Amino acid sequence: MTNIVLFPILIPFFFAIVLLFFKENIIVQRILVSLGLALSLVSSIFLAYIVHTDGIQTVNLGSWAAPYGISMVSDAFSALLVTTTLIVTFFVVIYSFYAIDEGRERNYYYPAILFMITGINGAFTTGDIFNMFVFFEVLLMASYVLIVLGGEKRQLRESIKYMLVNVVSSALFVITVAYLYSIVGTLNMADISVKIAEVDQPGIITVIGILFLIVFGIKGAIFPLYFWLPSAYAAPPIPILTLFGALLTKVGIYSITRTYTLFFVHDVGYTHMWLMGLSLLTIVVGCIGALAYFDLKQIIIYNIVIAVGVILYGVSLMDDFAMAGSVYYIVHDMLIKAALFLLIGIIIFVTGTSNLREISGLMKQYPGLGWVYLIAAFGLAGIPPLSGFIGKLLIVQGSFNAGHWIGAIAVLLSSLVVLLSVIRIFLYAFWGEPKETKPINRMQYKKMMIPTTLLVILSVVYGVGTEWFMPLITDSKDVLLDPSLYIDAVFKE
C-alpha cells in the first residue's frame, strides 16, 4: 500500500507522455488530461486518508534502505498540498477548455501542465534534498514552456527575466546542497536532521540555513527576492497565471517550511528571526503593491506576496497555533487565489481589459459574476466564517503567545489592506453605470463560470467546515514541530 505515495507523481507523468502523441487532436487531449487529473486526485485523497489513519507513508526507491536509497515520504503536510494542487489544477484545466486558444492547446499546453504537476508533487513528497532540486527543475522546465506558449511579445520579454532568475536560483541551490553534503555526508532529509542534531548546528550549518532561505526565498517570492514575480506572472494567459500564482510560490514556501522545521531548528534565535523579519517585510511590500495598482492582475498578484509573508511569519514563530495556522492558510490561499484569478479572467473576458478605470457596472450585466467575486473577496480578506479568517486567527494567536505583538498587528492590518484591495475591484468593476462592453459568447461565459464557482464553493466549505479538515491540519502541525515523527517514519524499516 505504501506505493500509493508515488501515484500522484507517476499518474500525471504517464498521462503527460501519452498526450505528446496527440498534439493535433484537441478533443482527445482534453479527455486524457481530465482523466489523468481525476485519477491523480482520487489517488491523492486516498493517500491523505491512509496517512491520517496509518501514519506517515514512505517508499525507498530501488529497495535501498534509508539513508542510502532515495526516500519518498508522504506526511499529512505533503499529502494536503498534493491534494490541493490536484484540485486546483483540475478546475483550471476545465476552465482552460473555454479560455485558452486552440493554438496553445496544440502546442503541448496540457502535457506541460502535467509535467509541471509531476514536479510540484514530487517536490512536496521527496525525502531527499537533491531530488527536491531535481523535481524543482522538472516543474521549472514545464513552466518555461507555459510562460512562453503563444509567443506574445510581453511573454517573451518577461520569460527571459523569469528564466534567468530561476537559473541563478537553481545554481545556488546545487551549491548549497553541495555545502550541506560536505558537512553532514548525506542527502536524505531525515538523516540530515539527525546529523545536524548530533553536532548541535554549528555556525557553518546556520550559514547554509540562510543560503537555503535565499534559494527558496527566490522561488517563494519573499522580500527582497520577489522582484521578478509581478511582471513575470502577469505575462501569460489567465489559466497559466492561475497555476503559477496558486501553486509555484507554494513550493518555495513548502521548502522553507520543511527545512526550517526539520534541519535548522537548533539556532532559531538567528535563522528564524531572519525568516520572521523578511516575512514581515514581505507583508509590507505586498500591501503597498496591492494598493498601488489599478490593474486586476497586479492587485491579486501582490496579494500572493502578502500571503507568502503571512504564511512564513507563522512558520517562523515555531508555535503550535501559528504553525497550524500557516498549514491551514497555505491550503486556503491555493484555493482562493486560484478562484480569484479565474474570476478576474472572466472579468477581462467580458470587458476586454484588466484596467479597473475602464470597467464599471458589471453587476447589472453579470450579477452572478459579481456575487461570486464578492464571496471570494471576503474569503481572501478573512471575513468570518470564511477560510481566510481561521488561518490568520491561529497565526495571530500564536504570535501573541510568543510575545510578538508587532507581528500580530502586522498580520491583522494586512487583512484590512487585502479587504480594501479586493473591495476596490468590486466597487470599480461592478458598481456604477455600465460601460459599453465587447460582444461575448454567453455560453462560453457560463462554461467558464462553472469551474470558477465550484472552486469558490470549495473554499467556502473549507472555511465553514473547518472541523472536518482540522485532524489533517493538526497532524501536519505535529510532524512539523516534532521532527522525530518524520525521522522515525523514514527509518522505521
Side-chain angles (χ1 to χ4, degrees), residues 263-453:
F263 300 169
F264 311 113
V265 293
H266 305 282
D267 191 12
V268 295
Y270 188 83
T271 54
H272 288 62
M273 288 305 294
W274 267 102
L275 179 60
M276 181 184 297
L278 293 177
S279 300
L280 292 175
L281 289 172
T282 303
I283 294 173
V284 172
V285 297
C287 289
I288 294 170
L291 295 178
Y293 284 90
F294 277 83
D295 183 89
L296 290 170
K297 293 181 181 180
Q298 294 294 344
I299 292 171
I300 307 300
I301 286 171
Y302 272 99
N303 272 281
I304 296 174
V305 178
I306 297 173
V308 169
V310 170
I311 295 164
L312 290 177
Y313 173 71
V315 172
S316 71
L317 294 169
M318 295 295 283
D319 172 88
D320 275 46
F321 287 103
M323 191 65 75
S326 290
V327 173
Y328 185 93
Y329 200 83
I330 192 173
V331 175
H332 146 80
D333 196 65
M334 293 167 77
L335 295 173
I336 205 68
K337 285 296 193 311
L340 279 167
F341 279 123
L342 296 184
L343 283 164
I344 66 170
I346 296 174
I347 295 173
I348 295 169
F349 170 73
V350 300
T351 62
T353 181
S354 63
N355 188 340
L356 267 182
R357 294 188 177 95
E358 299 176 6
I359 309 172
S360 179
L362 289 180
M363 184 60 84
K364 294 180 180 179
Q365 299 167 305
Y366 305 96
L369 175 61
W371 290 117
V372 172
Y373 173 82
L374 190 61
I375 293 170
F378 284 161
L380 180 66
I383 303 298
L386 301 175
S387 55
F389 172 75
I390 308 297
K392 284 189 177 178
L393 177 66
L394 290 169
I395 292 172
V396 168
Q397 185 173 352
S399 187
F400 280 122
N401 288 346
H404 294 287
W405 58 270
I406 293 177
I409 292 172
V411 172
L412 291 172
L413 290 177
S414 74
S415 295
L416 295 177
V417 173
V418 169
L419 180 61
L420 179 59
S421 69
V422 291
I423 288 300
R424 188 169 55 134
I425 293 177
F426 184 77
L427 294 177
Y428 270 83
F430 292 95
W431 230 240
E433 289 301 314
K435 292 186 178 180
E436 184 177 347
T437 58
K438 65 174 187 175
I440 66 163
N441 184 329
R442 296 290 298 197
M443 184 56 67
Q444 184 179 355
Y445 160 77
K446 291 177 182 178
K447 289 178 178 178
M448 292 168 69
M449 279 295 296
I450 292 172
T452 307
T453 304

Side-chain angles (χ1 to χ4, degrees), residues 335-336 375-376 385-387 455-466:
L335 295 173
I336 205 68
I375 293 170
L386 301 175
S387 55
L455 202 50
V456 173
I457 291 172
L458 190 59
S459 74
V460 172
V461 170
Y462 184 60
V464 175
T466 298

Side-chain angles (χ1 to χ4, degrees), residues 188-220:
N188 181 281
M189 292 165 67
D191 200 34
I192 291 172
S193 180
V194 171
K195 295 293 174 57
I196 291 176
E198 288 175 354
V199 295
D200 197 27
Q201 190 168 329
I204 184 62
I205 296 293
T206 300
V207 171
I208 292 171
I210 298 300
L211 286 175
F212 271 118
L213 180 58
I214 294 171
V215 169
F216 298 137
I218 294 173
K219 299 181 186 299

Side-chain angles (χ1 to χ4, degrees), residues 90-111:
F90 182 80
F91 284 114
V92 172
V93 164
I94 300 301
Y95 181 95
S96 296
F97 295 164
Y98 316 107
I100 282 286
D101 60 275
E102 292 188 0
R104 286 185 170 92
E105 286 185 294
R106 286 195 173 92
N107 281 282
Y108 307 109
Y109 172 69
Y110 297 117

